Amino acid sequence: MTHQIVIIGGGYIGVQLAKSLDHLANVTLIEKNSHFVHAPAMVRTVVDPTILDRALIPYDKLLKRGQLIQAVAQSVSESEVTLTSGEKIAADYIIVATGSSNAVPFKSNDGDINGLRSTNAKVHTKLTEAKTVAIVGAGAVGTELAGEIAHAFPDKDVHLISSEATLFPHHPAKLGRELSKKLKASGVSLTFGVRAENLESLTTPYTGTLSLSNGTKIKADLVFPVIGSKATSTLLQSLPGAEIRRAERVKTDAWMRPSQFGNIFAAGDAAETGDAMTIVGASRQTAWLTKTLKALIAGKKVEDLKPYSPWGPKAPFLVPLGPKLGNSFLGIFTAGNFITRKLKGEDLFLSKYNKLLGRKG
């Protein structure tokens, strides 16, 4: 018997899992976008739009046997997925990897790729013309954006603002210290431990004057609000026994199951598995899901299989500051410019994901 596997979400987990199971089962990948949006590269496209076509990769060459349905899933049951069109897709196993929403123009939150292209062009034009840029939020996206702008436009006055006391306080202190030094040396002004009290938008870049909680005002030609991702977990929240955690992520059990249904798995940003919302975390989950689903297809039971083990505090964390600078935490040590550049900064994994989706890198 050929098993029916339905994967909801064509992000980092969805595309790799669908491709790895394509020859073993009837795979259906449900995704609202026509293109895979490679988030790390989208940060650089703001300063270098020439790489946009490599960062937005069509799905049409991903699968050889399975099918891609460009649609939105409305609900999930133990035996099927219902689309907003009313169509029902039968499934033996369902994997919900619906990801998260983030600031524009780094993700397509509504499935409009042409709109994302248009927004990218508009933001690039505004950035080119801007003299003062303020970035609110110093997570990975905000920090990398500051480094990209400082590299491409060294004449601009760039401010990176965070409510945290230091950069990446949940990682080894050396990582934050080294990145802070390099940002300052590149001309970026760092303001930690304060909040922006009058953000006009939480998702869209705009022109305005920021009022900070320490009394400082920054008149910016362009404000980037980058204050963190929010899980897209509506499908999971409606399942029986679902438990909603921070950032609207849904808790999973030891076998990455978010509900009372034993054949539904959750992964990636939407699932609280113990991993951070990173590509590194997604890659670890993908490997486990691939191995587990292959075992289930072969007739084994979930409870007889090895539970998922998240990365924990030693998860690798790569933070390029443009194509040349950056630092990375690699589990046992913090690496500098050369390793960060070779691992991520130069290519941003563009070649890897273009190849995965059947395109020339």
Side-chain angles (χ1 to χ4, degrees):
M1 180 184 74
T2 303
H3 289 76
Q4 308 291 327
I5 296 179
V6 177
I7 302 167
I8 307 172
Y12 293 97
I13 288 175
V15 294
Q16 294 181 88
L17 189 59
K19 189 157 189 173
S20 66
L21 299 174
D22 193 26
H23 64 295
L24 294 174
N26 287 337
V27 174
T28 298
L29 177 62
I30 301 170
E31 166 57 47
K32 65 179 181 293
N33 286 314
S34 59
H35 291 59
F36 175 82
V37 181
H38 183 35
M42 291 302 296
V43 177
R44 184 168 294 173
T45 64
V46 172
V47 303
D48 182 11
T50 64
I51 68 170
L52 188 60
D53 285 339
R54 296 181 67 215
L56 300 176
I57 314 168
Y59 286 108
D60 58 351
K61 293 185 178 181
L62 174 66
L63 300 176
K64 294 182 178 179
R65 295 179 64 247
Q67 64 172 336
L68 169 71
I69 298 178
Q70 189 178 347
V72 175
Q74 184 177 60
S75 64
V76 176
S77 73
E78 196 169 12
S79 60
E80 63 187 16
V81 176
T82 302
L83 306 181
T84 53
S85 65
E87 180 183 356
K88 297 182 184 295
I89 302 170
D92 296 305
Y93 299 103
I94 300 169
I95 300 89
V96 181
T98 43
S100 60
S101 60
N102 210 323
V104 174
F106 309 118
K107 280 192 176 182
S108 173
N109 297 325
D110 57 5
D112 183 2
I113 293 298
N114 288 331
L116 182 59
R117 289 181 182 275
S118 177
T119 301
N120 177 271
K122 291 176 183 176
V123 173
H124 174 70
T125 298
K126 289 181 181 180
L127 176 60
T128 302
E129 297 170 350
K131 293 183 179 180
T132 301
V133 178
I135 302 167
V136 181
V141 173
T143 302
E144 290 184 28
L145 178 61
E148 294 287 355
I149 295 173
H151 173 81
F153 303 106
D155 59 325
K156 296 190 186 302
D157 184 16
V158 181
H159 297 261
L160 180 61
I161 301 151
S162 174
S163 60
E164 299 282 6
T166 60
L167 203 59
F168 303 119
H170 303 298
H171 288 81
K174 183 178 179 181
L175 179 70
R177 286 198 306 268
E178 292 299 316
L179 288 167
S180 293
K181 288 179 185 178
K182 289 170 185 178
L183 286 168
K184 289 178 181 178
S186 298
V188 177
S189 298
L190 305 180
T191 304
F192 294 129
V194 302
R195 296 181 179 276
E197 298 184 327
N198 64 331
L199 281 173
E200 295 179 17
S201 172
L202 298 179
T203 59
T204 306
Y206 65 91
T207 300
T209 299
L210 279 178
S211 296
L212 305 183
S213 57
N214 64 357
T216 302
K217 292 186 182 297
I218 301 174
K219 186 177 181 181
D221 301 303
L222 194 56
V223 176
F224 285 94
V226 194
I227 54 177
S229 299
K230 182 179 179 181
T232 306
S233 61
T234 304
L235 284 175
L236 296 172
Q237 291 180 27
S238 64
L239 294 174
E243 182 180 337
I244 305 169
R245 294 293 186 88
R246 184 180 178 183
E248 299 201 13
R249 304 177 89 184
V250 174
K251 184 179 182 299
T252 61
D253 70 5
W255 292 275
M256 292 179 64
R257 297 176 299 185
S259 71
Q260 297 171 10
F261 296 143
N263 66 326
I264 297 178
F265 301 87
D269 290 356
E272 178 54 80
T273 60
D275 289 312
M277 291 184 178
T278 64
I279 297 175
V280 169
S283 296
R284 188 178 183 90
Q285 293 172 33
T286 302
W288 183 89
L289 279 167
T290 300
K291 184 177 181 179
T292 297
L293 286 163
K294 286 181 178 179
L296 294 176
I297 290 171
K300 295 184 179 180
K301 295 182 179 180
V302 175
E303 290 76 8
D304 294 332
L305 303 176
K306 186 177 180 180
Y308 176 69
S309 175
W311 272 107
K314 292 188 176 182
F317 189 56
L318 315 177
V319 189
L321 303 175
K324 295 183 178 181
L325 304 178
N327 285 91
S328 299
F329 174 63
L330 299 178
I332 56 175
F333 70 99
T334 298
N337 293 334
F338 178 78
I339 291 179
T340 302
R341 182 169 69 245
K342 290 300 180 183
L343 289 178
K344 183 178 178 183
E346 285 182 344
D347 184 62
L348 297 172
F349 306 121
L350 281 164
S351 297
K352 173 183 176 178
Y353 286 101
N354 273 270
K355 182 179 180 181
L356 177 69
L357 277 97
R359 302 280 164 170
K360 293 182 179 180

